[in-house]
């Protein structure tokens, strides 16, 4: 079954539950809440304005299911990725919405199944129901599901009683709704004398097998009362859960540990215990894997191994029967992988549906043939009566009968050709579905690459965020330093104001001193004027003294001339007469001898 079809079935129940007036329409406010919850459980980014934009031209009145479907397909279902969400959470949301309105268990607490078991039966009903709305489950599927639950409790279903119940139920032959089915189960008509705990365990077992794809081991076909289909490899089977404790040998330490194993078509998972809270590992199964029985050794018995392309896993069962069940079940899983089947029960459901269609076609053809034969018989009787009256009428009747037989044969051949054409179209549709699966796998690969790119982008964004945090820390440090500098500047500003006040005081003091100095200068100017007057008197006296000095100089020059003359005379008398320069030297020496005296006189005069 396609994932979109599975989701649509549950969403249909939620939508109809919100349709309180049963008008086929739901208010936009309720659809907003439903859409928001669907975004949450399906792990899709929420777009709060998409619904308003989608119904912008339809502000008045509620929205029908046909009007909601384009939005549901575009903004929700097209964005759903298989494996990206928990399917059970999605089903619980839709079940909660629809159960409040439609599920009415016994108020006295006498219901056969609990509320949680009713939810699981609802999920099983959705899985087995036809892809037509309103959803119903045909009687064959009802019998199939009840037989599986009874088989899980080691009891046999009374098919005759079920047929009687369906015949009494209105439209029971066409199928039951889920609420009719739950009412039938809660009535206790088919599960008399069985404790609720046993029923709960059986429902849980069937739920794990069908919904969670926990792989099962095939039993003989007659257990469920079905006969093998004449088509090749098309057998309706009953199955028992393959999950339980096994001893597993480690790869590195080579010690044996007891683990709870659970087998699905593509993987064999093992946990610490049956609560399945701590998963220890898993073994991926494909068409290249194989299972082999090993001889007893190392104190372990009933050993077998699962060989994959990368490793061999050794395990030990409690007894030979358990080992045989596990080996057969694992071989079944490997065969499913080799055939390219992802879910055993989806394939079985499709095969049962094809069987019902073929059976209905055969039944319709048989009824048509019976009706035609009846008409032919009546025609023949009438012709025989006419034959008794007229032999000519008998011959004409025979001619008409031959023509009718020929026409019937032609119709039969035409019907056979039509069935062959339909068969070829089905084969073509299957080929197109396989091609579409290849395209979807390619699309999934592109989505995985996109996820890797987004993870790389997220790492780069985290690095940028770390850099931004570091920059903010640096900015905080700079701000702290700036605050410290502002405090220092404020302190210096206080000192500057203090210095300014001191300077103003100093200026006032200086002005006072300046006034004092000005007074002193005035006094000094007065003294200077008096000194200038005295200087004038001194200059006058100096001029008079200079005149006296000039007179003395004249006298001195005259005296020096006389001295030079007497010196020359003395030199001539005391030395012989030499070159002319000695004369000059004598005269110069006499003059230089008076030079200090003249300079001393001038300084004293000054």
């Amino acid at each position: 079954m396609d994932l979109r079809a599975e989701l649509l079935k549950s969403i249909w129940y939620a939508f109809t539950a919100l349709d309180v007036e049963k008008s086929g329409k739901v208010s936009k406010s309720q659809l907003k809440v439903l859409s928001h919850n669907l975004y949450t459980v399906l792990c899709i980014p929420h777009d709060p304005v998409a619904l308003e934009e989608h119904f912008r031209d339809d502000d008045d009145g509620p929205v029908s299911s046909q009007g909601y479907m384009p939005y549901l397909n575009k903004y929700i279902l097209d964005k759903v990725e298989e494996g990206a969400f928990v399917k059970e959470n999605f089903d619980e949301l839709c079940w909660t919405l629809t159960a409040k309105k439609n599920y009415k268990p016994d108020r006295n607490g006498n219901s056969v199944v609990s509320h949680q078991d009713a939810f699981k039966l609802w999920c099983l009903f959705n899985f087995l129901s036809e892809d037509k709305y309103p959803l119903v489950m045909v009687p064959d599927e009802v019998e199939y599901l009840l037989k599986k639950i009874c088989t899980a409790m080691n009891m046999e279903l009374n098919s005759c009683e079920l047929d009687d119940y369906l015949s009494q139920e209105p439209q029971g032959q066409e199928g039951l709704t889920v609420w009719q089915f739950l009412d039938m189960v809660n009535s206790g008509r088919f599960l008399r004398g069985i404790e609720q705990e046993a029923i709960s365990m059986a429902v849980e077992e069937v739920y794990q097998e069908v919904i969670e794809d926990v792989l099962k081991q095939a039993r003989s076909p007659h257990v469920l009362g079905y006969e093998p289909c004449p088509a090749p490899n098309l057998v309706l089977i009953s199955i028992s859960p393959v999950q339980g404790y096994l001893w597993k040998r480690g790869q590195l330490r080579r010690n044996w540990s007891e683990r709870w194993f659970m087998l699905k078509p593509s993987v064999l998972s093992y946990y610490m215990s049956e609560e399945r809270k701590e998963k220890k590992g898993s073994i991926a199964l494909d068409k290249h894997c194989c299972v082999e029985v090993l001889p007893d050794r190392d104190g372990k018995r009933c050993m077998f191994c699962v060989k994959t392309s990368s490793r061999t896993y050794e395990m030990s069962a409690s007894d030979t029967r358990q080992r045989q069940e596990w080996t057969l079940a694992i071989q079944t899983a490997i065969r499913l992988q080799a055939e390219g089947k992802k879910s055993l029960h989806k394939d079985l459901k499709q095969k049962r549906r094809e069987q019902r269609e073929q059976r209905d076609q055969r039944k319709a053809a048989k009824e048509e043939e019976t009706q035609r034969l009846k008409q032919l018989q009546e025609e023949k009787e009438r012709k025989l009566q006419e034959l008794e009256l007229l032999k000519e009428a008998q011959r004409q009747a025979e001619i008409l009968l031959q023509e009718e037989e020929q026409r019937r044969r032609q119709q039969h051949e035409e019907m056979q050709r039509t069935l062959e054409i339909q068969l070829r179209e089905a084969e073509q549709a299957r080929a197109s579905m396989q091609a579409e699966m290849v395209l979807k796998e390619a699309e999934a690969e592109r989505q995985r690459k996109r996820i890797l790119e987004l993870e790389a982008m997220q790492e780069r964004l985290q690095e940028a965020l770390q850099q931004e945090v570091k920059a903010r820390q640096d900015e905080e440090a700079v701000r702290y330093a700036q605050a410290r500098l502002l405090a220092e500047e404020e302190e210096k500003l206080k000192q500057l104001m203090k210095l300014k006040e001191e300077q103003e005081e100093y200026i006032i003091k200086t002005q006072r001193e300046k006034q004092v100095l000005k007074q002193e200068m005035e006094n000094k100017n007065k003294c200077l004027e008096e000194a200038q007057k005295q200087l004038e008197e001194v200059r006058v006296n100096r001029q008079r003294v200079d005149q006296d000095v000039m007179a003395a100089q004249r006298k001195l020059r005259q005296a020096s001339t006389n001295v030079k003359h007497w010196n020359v005379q003395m030199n001539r008398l005391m030395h012989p007469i030499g070159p002319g320069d000695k004369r000059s030297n004598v005269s110069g020496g006499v003059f230089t001898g008076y030079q200090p005296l003249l300079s001393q006189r001038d300084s004293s005069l000054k």
Side-chain angles (χ1 to χ4, degrees):
M1 186 188 303
D2 185 45
L3 177 62
R4 180 185 294 261
E6 293 181 6
L7 299 179
L8 276 175
K9 286 184 177 182
S10 299
I11 295 173
W12 178 79
Y13 279 109
F15 186 90
T16 54
L18 297 176
D19 181 14
V20 180
E21 299 178 356
K22 297 182 179 180
S23 61
K25 295 184 178 181
V26 178
S27 65
K28 284 171 49 175
S29 60
Q30 291 178 316
L31 289 180
K32 288 180 182 178
V33 176
L34 174 62
S35 301
H36 180 77
N37 291 329
L38 291 177
Y39 278 120
T40 302
V41 297
L42 294 175
C43 301
I44 302 172
H46 183 48
D47 189 357
V49 299
L51 186 64
E52 289 291 344
E53 293 180 353
H54 186 76
F55 299 106
R56 182 176 299 172
D57 299 333
D58 190 15
D59 292 334
D60 298 331
V63 180
S64 64
S65 60
Q66 290 81 7
Y68 184 58
M69 279 302 296
Y71 170 82
L72 183 65
N73 288 323
K74 181 178 180 181
Y75 294 98
I76 298 179
L77 296 181
D78 289 346
K79 298 179 181 179
V80 173
E81 296 181 4
E82 189 169 4
F85 66 97
V86 181
K87 179 68 165 51
E88 186 174 356
N89 295 340
F90 169 79
D91 289 334
E92 284 183 356
L93 168 66
C94 299
W95 162 254
T96 303
L97 292 174
T98 189
K100 289 180 180 179
K101 177 183 177 183
N102 300 300
Y103 182 53
K104 298 181 173 96
D106 191 348
R107 296 182 180 180
N108 298 325
N110 297 325
S111 299
V112 175
V113 295
S114 63
H115 189 79
Q116 185 65 20
D117 293 335
F119 161 68
K120 293 176 182 178
L121 289 174
W122 179 77
C123 295
L124 290 167
F125 181 92
N126 289 344
F127 181 84
L128 297 174
S129 63
E130 299 297 308
D131 297 334
K132 299 176 183 179
Y133 294 92
L135 295 175
V136 295
M137 186 162 59
V138 297
D140 289 345
E141 295 296 326
V142 173
E143 183 179 5
Y144 173 78
L145 179 56
L146 290 176
K147 282 187 175 180
K148 288 198 68 64
I149 296 174
C150 293
T151 302
M153 295 184 292
N154 294 324
M155 61 177 291
E156 186 176 356
L157 177 69
N158 190 342
S159 300
C160 297
E161 189 174 1
L162 176 62
D163 294 336
D164 294 340
Y165 180 88
L166 294 176
S167 62
Q168 296 173 4
E169 191 71 22
Q171 299 180 350
Q173 298 301 323
E174 297 180 2
L176 296 179
T177 65
V178 66
W179 313 118
Q180 292 173 337
F181 175 74
L182 291 176
D183 290 342
M184 180 184 69
V185 175
N186 278 324
S187 66
R189 186 170 181 176
F190 304 100
L191 302 173
R192 296 190 188 93
I194 302 176
E195 297 181 357
Q196 188 177 17
E197 183 178 359
I199 297 174
S200 179
M201 293 177 62
V203 172
E204 173 67 21
E205 181 178 319
V206 177
Y207 178 83
Q208 287 186 2
E209 175 188 340
V210 178
I211 304 300
E212 296 184 359
D213 270 338
V214 176
L215 194 62
K216 312 294 181 179
Q217 178 186 359
R219 290 181 180 174
S220 59
H222 66 274
V223 174
L224 292 182
Y226 282 99
E227 295 182 356
C229 178
N233 299 326
L234 190 57
V235 179
L236 290 175
I237 58 176
S238 173
I239 41 194
S240 59
V242 178
Q243 53 180 346
Y245 284 104
L246 291 175
W247 289 90
K248 174 184 169 296
R249 190 170 189 177
Q251 182 181 11
L252 300 178
R253 298 173 61 185
R254 308 300 291 172
N255 59 333
W256 290 89
S257 303
E258 191 176 24
R259 297 286 183 257
W260 176 268
F261 281 79
M262 185 176 68
L263 179 61
K264 291 188 177 183
S266 60
V267 65
L268 177 61
S269 304
Y270 49 95
Y271 304 82
M272 281 292 294
S273 63
E274 57 185 309
E275 285 79 11
R276 295 185 293 174
K277 294 182 179 179
E278 183 179 355
K279 186 176 181 179
K280 302 299 293 183
S282 59
I283 305 172
L285 302 176
D286 54 29
K287 61 182 180 180
H288 302 292
C289 299
C290 65
V291 184
E292 294 182 1
V293 177
L294 300 178
D296 298 343
R297 65 172 184 271
D298 298 335
K300 294 294 179 182
R301 53 191 297 272
C302 302
M303 294 179 58
F304 65 96
C305 68
V306 179
K307 292 184 178 180
T308 64
S309 57
S310 59
R311 180 183 166 187
T312 299
Y313 297 85
E314 295 184 5
M315 284 160 279
S316 173
S318 59
D319 51 32
T320 306
R321 180 176 174 274
Q322 188 184 25
R323 177 176 65 179
Q324 184 179 5
E325 289 181 356
W326 277 101
T327 53
L328 290 176
I330 296 173
Q331 287 173 356
T332 303
I334 295 173
R335 178 177 58 80
L336 290 175
Q337 292 296 314
E339 295 175 357
K341 299 176 181 177
K342 296 184 178 180
S343 174
L344 175 63
H345 282 276
K346 290 180 181 179
D347 184 60
L348 292 176
K349 177 189 173 184
Q350 184 63 30
K351 290 179 179 179
R352 290 196 304 272
R353 181 175 295 177
E354 292 175 357
Q355 288 179 4
R356 287 196 301 272
E357 291 176 354
Q358 293 176 3
R359 184 184 62 191
D360 292 341
Q361 290 177 0
R362 290 194 300 268
K363 184 178 179 181
K366 186 176 181 180
E367 290 178 355
E368 184 180 358
E369 186 70 19
T370 303
Q371 187 68 21
R372 186 181 293 109
L373 290 175
K374 185 178 179 181
Q375 293 176 357
L376 291 174
Q377 184 66 26
E378 292 175 354
E379 184 71 18
K380 183 177 180 180
E381 290 177 357
R382 188 175 66 256
K383 295 297 181 183
L384 288 174
Q385 292 176 0
E386 294 177 356
L387 181 61
E388 292 176 355
L389 300 175
L390 297 171
K391 291 183 179 180
E392 185 66 25
Q394 184 181 7
R395 286 194 298 269
Q396 293 177 358
E398 291 177 356
I399 295 173
L400 291 174
L401 183 61
Q402 292 176 359
E403 292 177 355
E404 183 68 20
E405 184 69 19
Q406 183 68 24
R407 184 175 62 82
R408 187 184 62 79
R409 290 177 181 177
Q410 290 177 357
Q411 288 181 353
H412 184 72
E413 292 175 356
E414 184 178 356
M415 183 180 296
Q416 186 175 3
R417 287 194 298 269
T418 303
L419 291 175
E420 291 176 356
I421 293 172
Q422 291 178 355
L423 182 60
R424 286 195 297 270
E425 290 177 352
E427 292 293 334
Q428 292 175 359
R430 181 180 178 184
S432 63
M433 288 293 292
Q434 291 178 351
E436 186 177 354
M437 288 297 296
V438 173
L439 293 176
K440 287 186 177 180
E441 290 177 357
E443 180 67 22
E445 184 65 26
R446 288 195 295 271
Q447 291 293 336
R448 285 193 290 271
K449 292 181 180 179
R450 178 61 179 168
I451 290 171
L452 293 175
E453 293 176 358
L454 291 175
E455 290 177 352
M457 184 180 295
Q458 183 181 4
E459 293 178 356
R460 292 196 295 271
L461 289 175
Q462 289 178 353
E463 293 177 357
L465 181 60
Q466 292 177 357
Q467 293 177 359
E468 183 179 359
V469 171
K470 185 176 180 183
R472 289 189 177 180
Q473 293 176 353
D474 295 341
E475 183 181 358
E476 290 294 331
V478 170
R479 287 182 179 177
Y480 176 76
Q482 186 178 7
R484 183 171 53 81
L485 290 175
L486 288 173
E488 294 178 356
E489 184 178 357
E490 185 178 358
E491 185 67 26
K492 289 183 179 180
L493 183 60
K494 291 180 180 179
Q495 295 177 0
L496 182 61
M497 294 299 293
K498 186 176 181 181
L499 288 174
K500 187 176 180 181
E501 293 176 356
E502 293 177 355
Q503 186 178 10
E504 290 177 353
E505 293 177 357
Y506 180 73
I507 288 172
I508 296 171
K509 184 179 180 182
T510 304
Q511 288 177 354
R512 292 176 182 175
E513 292 177 354
K514 185 177 180 181
Q515 291 177 357
V516 174
L517 289 174
K518 186 177 182 181
Q519 187 69 30
E520 290 179 356
M521 285 180 66
E522 289 177 355
N523 296 333
K524 286 183 180 181
N525 286 333
K526 292 179 181 180
C527 294
L528 182 59
E529 289 177 356
E530 293 176 359
Q532 284 180 352
K533 291 179 182 179
Q534 293 176 2
L535 181 60
E536 288 296 331
E537 292 176 358
V538 172
R539 283 179 181 175
V540 172
N541 293 330
R542 182 180 177 183
Q543 288 177 0
R544 188 168 57 250
V545 171
D546 286 342
Q547 290 175 1
D548 294 340
V549 171
M550 288 178 66
Q553 284 180 353
R554 283 194 302 269
K555 291 178 180 182
L556 183 58
R557 281 194 300 270
Q558 186 176 1
S560 64
T561 303
N562 293 330
V563 171
K564 287 180 183 180
H565 177 70
W566 288 109
N567 282 335
V568 170
Q569 293 297 328
M570 287 295 289
N571 286 329
R572 284 179 181 176
L573 289 176
M574 293 182 69
H575 293 287
I577 299 171
D581 58 347
K582 292 183 178 181
R583 182 185 176 97
S584 62
N585 291 334
V586 172
S587 59
V590 175
F591 184 76
T592 56
Y594 286 97
Q595 202 66 22
L597 295 173
L598 293 173
S599 61
Q600 185 177 5
R601 188 195 63 179
D602 294 336
S603 62
S604 63
L605 290 174
K606 292 179 180 178

